[in-house]
Amino acid sequence: MPSLLAALVLLFSLAAASSAPVDSNPLAALKGKTVLVDPGHNGGNAAHPEIIDKLVPAGGFRKECDTTGTATNDERLTEPAFNWDVARRLTKLLRAAGAKVVLTRGNNSGVGPCINKRAAIGNKAGADVAISIHADGGDPGGRGFHVIRPGLVRGYTGPIVKPSYALAKDVRASLDAAGLVRANYIARNGMIARKDLGGLNLSKVPKVLTELGNMRNAGDARHLKSAKWREHVARALRSGLAKYLADAQ
Ligand code: ZN
């Protein structure tokens, strides 16, 4: 009697669901936490090379203040605009879950701030966690996302390497769960450790940098241009941050 069996299974699952703890909200860990959201580059960078080409401290060496970022092949979507839009959506979602959000820039028409300042903003805020939002400009044949975590730079990243690794795994898992594919042209299994990024090297709080797709790839570009997809990705990022904060407690 398969229908009776099905009914019994349903009854048992309902009973199991009703006995679940009331604090099982997966976003609960965000409440009261400070999150640094760092939308990469800025819309005005391209017009001001005299500012963004200046060298700034980057963690034991000096590097350009910032770069212009990339764009889709048709130039209709710039990386700063994409980063800003996802960051704005993520900020709204995080605040709705009770988190305090600190942004490294408040619009997409200015210049900078420089990479060292971006890290300093998160440090000064005493952020519990930090995330940089980017999209890559790679080989047009390659697609997919990757998460960049800080590698060990002595005298700089020591205290954040381990928690940032945990954060990178949680963010990658949430992007996997959202159906995004891991990059097939860079990194390994959707993740890479780097020591050349000032924004990570100078951070005193756990931080990762997400490259959410390859703007030069036609398939990825279609996603990156979609408002619906960006909202979907912002939700996935929020889940990853919440999971990290829950585990860190
Ligand atoms: Zn970028």
Side-chain angles (χ1 to χ4, degrees):
M1 296 240 280
S3 61
L4 177 61
L5 187 62
L8 281 172
V9 168
L10 179 65
L11 269 178
F12 277 117
S13 7
L14 284 173
S18 65
S19 65
V22 284
D23 62 347
S24 62
N25 173 9
L27 301 177
L30 284 164
K31 204 168 166 39
K33 293 293 195 306
T34 301
V35 182
L36 178 87
V37 175
D38 175 36
H41 318 286
N42 201 331
N45 283 9
H48 290 278
E50 79 286 0
I51 298 172
I52 65 160
D53 289 349
K54 272 195 181 140
L55 298 181
V56 297
F61 60 99
R62 292 171 77 79
K63 196 170 178 177
E64 287 78 15
C65 158
D66 205 342
T67 61
T68 60
T70 185
T72 50
N73 284 338
D74 62 8
E75 304 292 329
R76 283 165 70 178
L77 177 65
T78 67
E79 189 200 339
F82 169 80
N83 298 341
W84 173 243
D85 186 68
V86 173
R88 210 174 44 81
R89 291 172 189 276
L90 176 59
T91 296
K92 204 173 164 191
L93 291 166
L94 289 170
R95 285 179 178 155
K100 182 187 170 203
V101 177
V102 176
L103 281 153
T104 53
R105 58 181 172 101
N107 57 59
N108 192 44
S109 52
V111 184
C114 298
I115 48 172
N116 57 331
K117 180 81 190 295
R118 287 170 186 264
I121 292 169
N123 298 343
K124 195 178 166 203
D128 294 286
V129 65
I131 188 165
S132 289
I133 313 288
H134 286 254
D136 199 16
D139 184 303
R143 62 174 298 212
F145 79 87
H146 67 287
V147 181
I148 303 171
R149 63 186 178 92
L152 179 61
V153 180
R154 295 204 184 276
Y156 292 92
T157 60
I160 66 159
V161 164
K162 204 176 160 192
S164 300
Y165 185 34
L167 171 63
K169 285 192 281 191
D170 285 334
V171 168
R172 181 181 62 179
S174 67
L175 293 173
D176 284 341
L180 276 74
V181 299
R182 297 180 181 182
N184 63 3
Y185 66 100
I186 194 169
R188 197 158 165 261
N189 295 323
M191 198 192 296
I192 190 168
R194 282 176 62 173
K195 304 177 184 180
D196 62 319
L197 299 173
L200 294 183
N201 291 348
L202 298 172
S203 181
K204 295 187 192 314
V205 305
K207 187 173 187 178
V208 293
L209 188 155
T210 55
E211 296 281 8
L212 294 168
N214 178 10
M215 298 196 85
R216 298 294 180 189
N217 175 274
D220 276 4
R222 263 197 303 279
H223 288 311
L224 295 163
K225 285 177 180 174
S226 155
K228 201 175 157 195
W229 187 86
R230 291 177 197 171
E231 184 71 17
H232 178 64
V233 167
R235 283 182 180 275
L237 295 176
R238 177 173 70 166
S239 300
L241 291 167
K243 173 77 166 46
Y244 166 77
L245 290 168
D247 291 347
Q249 270 170 2

